[in-house]
């Protein structure tokens, strides 16, 4: 069998299940059956298949390949002939990655992990659900396909569950029931552990500030961008009555600046200013987005009023600015869904090691909507609707006063 082992993000092979599979090969005494290499594990019993695709990481042999799905849509196509895919820790899986991955595994029986008795290629997914709004939870739990088999497992299904963990579970349940339900029962929570904006998003939920937020055509819409080599994120916001109204959100990856300009035009908003990150506003556009011109130059060519955001002195200053703004923010629950999810999943990284003085947030897909939101906090200024034209009183001809005719 030929298996693809995938995760949404994988910056190093150590973050995959490569170590898990390698240790099980040793534990089961199968070292003679597999050749464990740095980025693949090859079954040595069977020879190379004929007609192997030159882009196939296994070169036509049986075994396991490893891949990160985020920003790797083209790479996924190399695995079209595989029998199955195992997505580990799929709580971070995004809709876009799934839409590219699922059609790749479409071989009919007798191909697939169960041969003639199976249903062809299969995708196996494991995850501990974090948020009810996560794509994986919505897609595989709330909207179960008749083609899927869903098995919920918890500590009760582990016959080797040790007493030490049982005592820890009981202590955690007494101290923090929500975290206990997440860790041991697989029940989603409102925000991920270590969420940078966890308290702020809880208050947003309690105040019911995720709701329909209509566009006010009498007020300009400003946009706030984070532009990366992989993903570009844009918040659309209006100000009114001391409120910050996030009426829309858009993100994509691997697109040129013309694509984003068209997105702005298609929405039909009356725009004010478009705020770009300090480091891309005046520099050449990254990753083929603009043929040597800066993003500011390109967008100005479309007639947009473009500004560069001031540079933050450090990440903590940007985070604090966002926190100060949160009590005023209202989000459109439908149009800003992906951006809201990013704010919930934006989380702190590992504690600092020697030489580091501050803890930094993880740099993953959620950091893009969070960074754009921080630029919103740093540049937002409420703009009143344009004043009504002044009416100059005109002299009236003299009339006699006759109240009763």
């Amino acid at each position: 069998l030929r298996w693809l082992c995938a995760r949404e993000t994988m910056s190093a092979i150590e973050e995959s299940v490569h170590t898990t599979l390698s240790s099980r090969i040793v534990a089961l005494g199968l070292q003679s059956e597999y050749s464990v290499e740095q980025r693949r594990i090859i079954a040595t019993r069977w020879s190379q298949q004929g007609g192997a695709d030159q882009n196939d990481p296994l070169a036509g042999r049986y075994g396991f390949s490893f891949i990160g799905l985020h920003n790797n849509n083209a790479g996924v196509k190399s695995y079209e002939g595989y029998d199955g895919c195992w997505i580990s820790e799929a709580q971070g899986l995004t809709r876009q990655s799934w839409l590219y991955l699922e059609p790749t595994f479409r071989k009919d029986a007798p191909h697939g992990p169960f041969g003639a008795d199976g249903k062809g290629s299969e995708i196996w997914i494991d995850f501990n659900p974090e948020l009810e709004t996560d794509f994986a939870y919505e897609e595989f739990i709330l909207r179960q396909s008749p083609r899927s088999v869903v098995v919920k497992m918890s500590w009760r299904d582990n016959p080797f569950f040790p007493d030490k963990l049982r005592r820890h579970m009981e202590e955690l349940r007494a101290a923090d029931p929500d975290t206990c339900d997440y860790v041991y029962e697989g029940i989603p929570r409102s925000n991920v552990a270590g969420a940078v904006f966890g308290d702020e998003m809880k208050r947003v939920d309690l105040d019911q500030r995720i709701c329909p937020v209509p566009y006010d055509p009498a007020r300009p819409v400003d946009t706030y961008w984070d532009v990366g080599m992989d993903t570009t994120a844009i918040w659309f916001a209006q100000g009114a009555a001391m409120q910050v109204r996030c009426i829309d959100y858009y993100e994509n990856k691997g697109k040129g600046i013309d694509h984003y300009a068209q997105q702005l035009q298609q929405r039909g908003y009356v725009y004010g200013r478009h705020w770009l990150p300090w480091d891309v506003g005046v520099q050449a556009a990254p990753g083929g987005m603009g043929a040597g011109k800066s993003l500011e130059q390109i967008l100005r060519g479309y007639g947009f009023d473009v500004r560069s955001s001031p540079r933050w002195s450090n990440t903590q200053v940007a985070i604090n600015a966002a926190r100060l703004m949160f009590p005023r923010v209202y989000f459109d629950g439908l149009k800003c869904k992906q951006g809201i999810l990013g704010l919930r999943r934006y989380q702190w990284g590992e504690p600092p090691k020697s030489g580091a003085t501050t803890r930094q947030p993880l740099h993953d897909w959620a950091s893009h909507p969070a960074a754009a939101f921080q630029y919103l906090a740093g540049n937002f200024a409420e703009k009143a609707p344009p004043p009504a034209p002044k009416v100059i009183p005109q002299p009236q001809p003299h009339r006699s006063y006759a109240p009763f005719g």
Side-chain angles (χ1 to χ4, degrees), residues 217-345:
R219 298 176 182 272
V221 175
D222 288 349
T223 65
Y224 305 86
W225 300 49
D226 180 66
V227 180
M229 296 298 293
D230 50 354
T231 300
T232 294
I234 309 172
W235 286 98
F236 299 73
Q238 290 183 295
M242 299 301 294
Q243 298 172 355
V244 181
R245 298 178 178 178
C246 292
I247 64 169
D248 207 341
Y249 174 84
Y250 182 74
E251 72 173 48
N252 212 319
K253 54 188 177 182
K255 301 292 185 180
I257 191 61
D258 290 345
H259 168 83
Y260 297 102
Q262 291 168 7
Q263 288 295 321
L264 298 182
Q265 294 171 330
Q266 291 170 6
R267 279 164 165 74
Y269 300 141
V270 176
Y271 290 107
R273 295 174 177 176
H274 303 273
W275 291 92
L276 300 180
W278 65 271
D279 55 344
V280 301
V282 296
Q283 298 178 9
M289 292 183 72
K293 295 183 179 180
S294 72
L295 298 186
E296 183 172 343
Q297 290 174 318
I298 298 169
L299 289 174
R300 285 187 185 279
Y302 282 91
F304 295 127
D305 183 358
V306 184
R307 307 297 174 94
S308 291
S309 299
R311 181 177 183 177
W312 296 112
S313 57
N314 57 62
T315 303
Q316 191 60 54
V317 172
I319 290 171
N320 289 341
R323 285 174 170 164
L324 289 172
M325 188 183 68
F326 256 107
R328 302 167 53 200
V329 180
Y330 288 74
F331 298 94
D332 187 281
L334 181 62
K335 293 183 178 179
C336 298
K337 181 178 179 180
Q338 187 66 16
I340 294 169
L341 179 59
L343 294 178
R344 294 190 189 280
R345 295 194 65 89

Side-chain angles (χ1 to χ4, degrees), residues 36-153:
V36 178
E37 301 178 6
Q38 185 176 3
R39 302 194 64 84
R40 62 183 183 176
I41 299 176
I42 298 177
T44 56
R45 177 178 297 186
W46 295 277
S47 60
Q48 183 173 358
Q49 303 178 49
D53 189 326
Q54 62 178 356
N55 296 319
D56 177 12
L58 287 179
R61 308 189 69 147
Y62 298 108
F64 303 90
S65 289
F66 305 87
I67 190 176
L69 299 174
H70 189 69
N71 198 34
N72 198 14
N73 300 330
V76 170
K77 297 178 181 178
S78 302
Y79 302 93
E80 186 172 344
Y82 279 44
D83 297 287
C85 176
W86 172 18
I87 308 176
S88 60
E89 299 185 39
Q91 60 269 18
L93 182 68
T94 62
R95 180 179 299 276
Q96 188 165 6
S97 293
W98 176 251
L99 291 177
Y100 275 90
L101 177 71
E102 185 183 22
T104 302
F105 294 85
R106 55 177 180 268
K107 293 171 64 177
D108 294 326
H111 301 287
F114 298 105
D117 296 328
K119 298 182 181 297
S121 301
E122 296 189 2
I123 301 177
W124 296 1
I125 301 169
D126 72 72
F127 68 100
N128 190 23
E130 286 192 291
L131 305 176
E132 290 184 351
T133 53
D134 284 346
F135 167 75
Y137 188 80
E138 288 187 342
E139 183 72 14
F140 308 123
I141 305 299
L142 300 182
R143 293 195 299 264
Q144 294 183 20
S145 167
R147 297 183 293 113
S148 64
V149 176
V150 179
V151 179
K152 180 179 180 180
M153 303 181 68

Side-chain angles (χ1 to χ4, degrees), residues 147-267:
R147 297 183 293 113
S148 64
V149 176
V150 179
V151 179
K152 180 179 180 180
M153 303 181 68
S154 71
W155 62 275
R156 297 178 180 85
D157 300 292
N158 182 2
F160 307 103
F161 192 70
D163 289 337
K164 185 175 182 179
L165 277 184
R166 190 183 301 274
R167 289 192 296 270
H168 176 265
M169 178 181 66
E170 293 170 351
E171 293 170 357
L172 186 60
R173 189 176 300 283
D176 189 349
D178 289 342
T179 299
C180 183
D181 285 343
Y182 163 69
V183 173
Y184 288 101
E185 303 290 356
I187 298 175
R189 50 190 174 187
S190 58
N191 298 294
V192 296
V196 174
F197 298 130
D199 292 341
E200 289 74 19
M201 291 306 297
K202 286 180 182 178
R203 175 52 58 184
V204 167
D205 291 331
L206 290 173
D207 294 344
Q208 298 182 347
R209 285 186 278 120
I210 298 176
C211 56
V213 182
Y215 162 57
D216 182 355
R219 298 176 182 272
V221 175
D222 288 349
T223 65
Y224 305 86
W225 300 49
D226 180 66
V227 180
M229 296 298 293
D230 50 354
T231 300
T232 294
I234 309 172
W235 286 98
F236 299 73
Q238 290 183 295
M242 299 301 294
Q243 298 172 355
V244 181
R245 298 178 178 178
C246 292
I247 64 169
D248 207 341
Y249 174 84
Y250 182 74
E251 72 173 48
N252 212 319
K253 54 188 177 182
K255 301 292 185 180
I257 191 61
D258 290 345
H259 168 83
Y260 297 102
Q262 291 168 7
Q263 288 295 321
L264 298 182
Q265 294 171 330
Q266 291 170 6
R267 279 164 165 74

